[in-house]
Amino acid sequence: MAGRWAAALVFTVLMDRQRLSSIAHTHHPIAAPIFGVNVNRLLRRADRRPNARILDLGCGEAAWALQALAHYPDGHADGVDTSPYALERAAAAAAVRGLADRLTLHERDARSYVPDGDHDLVMCVGSTHAFGGFTETLELAGRHVNPDGVLLVGEGYWQAPPTTAALAGLDAKPEDFTDLAGLVDSAERAGWTPIFAHLSTGAEWDDYEWSWVGSLTEWALDNPGHPDAAGALAAAREHREQWLRGYRDVLGFATLVLRRG
């Protein structure tokens, strides 16, 4: 679930982008600016039934799906992502937690994925770019939610008016995001009503970004002879500059718990 802000980074490394993202999320498999305790709060508010069917679109390392399974002792989850590196880590994490028999991973594009029936909980956190944006995610991912199910979506928003530096750091236009009220309005226009939401704090953002930058930097320093080490280090520094001098305290992140209504 590499977010829109990470997807905007212009990588200048030889390493393929998915591999780079996997390394950058080594110490933060949630892959969004959210602490684990708040992931649990969101999943509790999305609670439907013990045998829930769960779908995580753009699942990355399936941290959300695996934690959801802890809340649904008889449930089953499907995780969909295009990154073989992330899915490999997801499978390993599921095995360690004894959840491998309740998690099915699919290496394919979330937009074209056709599930076997509807789901009680569908999640897309930090991966709305896979569908073309927030509104498109509500429409396309929402098709997989059963009539009384929950759609959990994490998306960026302008928590302050976007500056020139923020737009440059994100390779974004002002209209790429709305403010928080506009985000909620978009959900309601699409037929979804928020029943809960979490707004990522500055501490959560800092933890996520330092983890992203630090993991990539550490990998480069630990592998100085690797042909991609110098490029990875440069990418980490570039991302750090884009964040610290650009979109820090400008871009927010909201995770909405939605039901039809």
Side-chain angles (χ1 to χ4, degrees), residues 34-47 64 67 71-72 152 195-201 204 255 257:
I34 305 175
F35 289 149
V37 63
N38 290 320
V39 171
N40 285 323
R41 288 178 66 233
L42 286 159
L43 290 172
R44 282 195 295 270
R45 292 302 297 264
D47 200 347
W64 287 80
Q67 197 57 29
H71 287 261
Y72 303 98
L152 193 153
I195 60 170
F196 187 65
H198 173 72
L199 306 182
S200 295
T201 65
E204 287 176 306
T255 307
V257 183

Side-chain angles (χ1 to χ4, degrees), residues 42-54 65-76 99 102 120-121 123 150:
L42 286 159
L43 290 172
R44 282 195 295 270
R45 292 302 297 264
D47 200 347
R48 310 308 296 148
R49 54 187 62 121
N51 63 340
R53 295 191 69 208
I54 303 155
L66 290 171
Q67 197 57 29
L69 289 175
H71 287 261
Y72 303 98
D74 299 314
H76 184 276
L99 296 171
R102 296 204 285 135
D120 303 295
L121 171 62
M123 302 183 287
V150 168

Side-chain angles (χ1 to χ4, degrees), residues 24-114:
H25 287 106
T26 297
H27 297 295
H28 206 300
I30 291 172
I34 305 175
F35 289 149
V37 63
N38 290 320
V39 171
N40 285 323
R41 288 178 66 233
L42 286 159
L43 290 172
R44 282 195 295 270
R45 292 302 297 264
D47 200 347
R48 310 308 296 148
R49 54 187 62 121
N51 63 340
R53 295 191 69 208
I54 303 155
L55 176 61
D56 191 351
L57 297 165
C59 68
E61 298 180 24
W64 287 80
L66 290 171
Q67 197 57 29
L69 289 175
H71 287 261
Y72 303 98
D74 299 314
H76 184 276
D78 288 273
V80 182
D81 205 280
T82 58
S83 171
Y85 308 106
L87 293 177
E88 181 180 359
R89 288 188 173 184
V96 168
R97 296 180 64 170
L99 296 171
D101 61 333
R102 296 204 285 135
L103 175 68
T104 303
L105 299 170
H106 308 267
E107 186 182 337
R108 59 187 307 171
D109 182 78
R111 191 182 184 98
S112 61
Y113 175 71
V114 180

